[in-house]
Amino acid sequence: MVRHILEVIGCKRPVPLRLAAALGWLKRTRFKCLFVMTLLCLGLRENYPFSNFPMYSSFNSRTSLVYLTDAQGTPFSTMGFDLLNSTLNKIFYGWRRAELKKTAGSSTARVALAEHTAGEALLRYIDRHASVHPQIRNLLHGLRVQHLTIRLEAHELVLQTQTLATHE
Amino acid sequence: MSAIKRMREYALYERVVMRILFAWLVLTATPARLSFYEIPAPNGIARLLNLHFLLDPQVYAFCRMLLVVALVLYVLRLMIWLALPLALFVNVAANAVTNSQGAIQHAYQIVSLVLLAQTAAHFYGVWLRRAGEARTLLEDQLIWWSQQTIVAVYFVAGITKLIVTKGLWIFQARMISVSMAKAAYQSFYDRLDRADLEQMLAMANFAATHGWIVVLIAGCGLALELGSPLALLNRGMAALFGCALFAFHLGLDHTMRLSFIFNQWLLIIYMINIPYWIVTGARAMDRNKGSNRLEMSA
């Protein structure tokens, strides 16, 4: 394949008609970069520097997020942990997805277990994060991972919070 | 006629401004430090190359220094064959490490992709010349491919919305209020700014109760993304789409605190191209004054 492409570009050897036509067109078009970048981004998806840019590509009537509080439930600024809340959530949901694949059972029980495990894993991540950010070590005791659910019900936003994990 | 010969030509002042601003943008879009202790979820180039050496602060500081040297060479148009690949490697490798922490961010891809396109454009241009094509303006090719890459990013975002929702994105957009509320809380938990939270929640609640307005606005945004290749038709269309996409980002930033500052800068540099319009406007005014003087003297 690669040899064929090189030969077509160099016009040194006849190649299969369709491939030759496609590459010939690509060589002639002024928009080759647009075409190639579009294909690479859609094909390689989330592989830096490529991306299919899936942010807000679909919407649901329900969503959720996690945030950090102290033992009394007072929220911490995530930036105080040298993290963004969106990063914290992406890490949490990455683990949640992995846990959901591992566990079996009824849907509600599986989700609850996966969220609890992902919450604990997030606390361990923050523990390790503290090893390169000493300023956050004194915030760890009693640190809680809270889960906020947002639902759209009859044109109204409904919120619900629960604690997923607490740092010892 | 070669592909390059058909390119529009950019004046020296435009190219210099573009070079300086893009070099500054690449430097800004490359992390100043990598304060990570591991690469737990390798992404992109980090899957192909072992980038753990970048976690050593001294090594990374050296790489940043190399990047600065490469960008100075880029601005001066010296040793571009070395400057572009070097800048590309440092920028992509550092951001790949950042994106390998289990959370993928979408702020820097566009800068890395434009840098990749410029590198590819340079070597493609060199190869065309070696293959017998006439010497042409290589830098115009770099700018042209940069514009195509910026457009590709928006076009891909539009196509992905249609693929993921099987074409129904516009109908799902009614539920954007849920995402707006989530963005409001995420922004709140970043800084604990309660006044900002209340303002954003008010907008989310408005969106929840006025679904049809949201559908209309979201529809315009999607049309802008899917129609972005039209920006490549000429300078006027580039400026028009550049301004429209810039306004789109300002709207997103205001309603959902989704800041795509690098996208905005790239639109300013390569699509809107303010210096060209200032010079063109000034020349047009000069011509008008000149023709008025002639009419007066006649």
Side-chain angles (χ1 to χ4, degrees), chain B residues 264-283:
Chain B
Q264 288 170 270
W265 269 109
L266 284 169
L267 289 171
I268 290 173
I269 298 169
Y270 290 111
M271 308 304 285
I272 301 174
N273 190 5
I274 295 168
Y276 168 77
W277 294 105
I278 292 174
V279 171
T280 306
R283 281 178 186 161

Side-chain angles (χ1 to χ4, degrees), chain B residues 106-173:
Chain B
H106 295 97
Y108 306 109
Q109 277 91 344
I110 192 167
V111 179
S112 300
L113 286 174
V114 170
L115 198 51
L116 174 65
Q118 292 201 3
T119 309
H122 174 77
F123 288 104
Y124 180 67
V126 169
W127 179 77
L128 276 183
R129 277 167 58 188
R130 287 198 178 159
E133 298 272 349
R135 182 181 167 80
T136 47
L137 293 166
L138 277 178
E139 202 173 358
D140 275 9
Q141 177 89 333
L142 261 63
I143 296 167
W144 175 232
W145 282 31
S146 302
Q147 291 172 330
Q148 291 187 55
T149 304
I150 294 165
V151 164
V153 165
Y154 288 100
F155 191 52
V156 165
I159 291 176
T160 300
K161 287 182 178 73
L162 297 182
I163 292 173
V164 171
T165 60
K166 298 184 172 67
L168 299 173
W169 188 83
I170 200 78
F171 301 105
Q172 285 189 4

Side-chain angles (χ1 to χ4, degrees), chain B residues 60-81:
Chain B
Y60 188 66
F62 178 70
C63 288
R64 281 274 300 183
M65 199 184 70
L66 284 181
L67 176 70
V68 172
V69 172
L71 292 175
V72 170
L73 290 174
Y74 170 82
V75 169
L76 299 173
R77 289 288 294 168
L78 295 171
M79 295 197 283
I80 288 291
W81 56 270

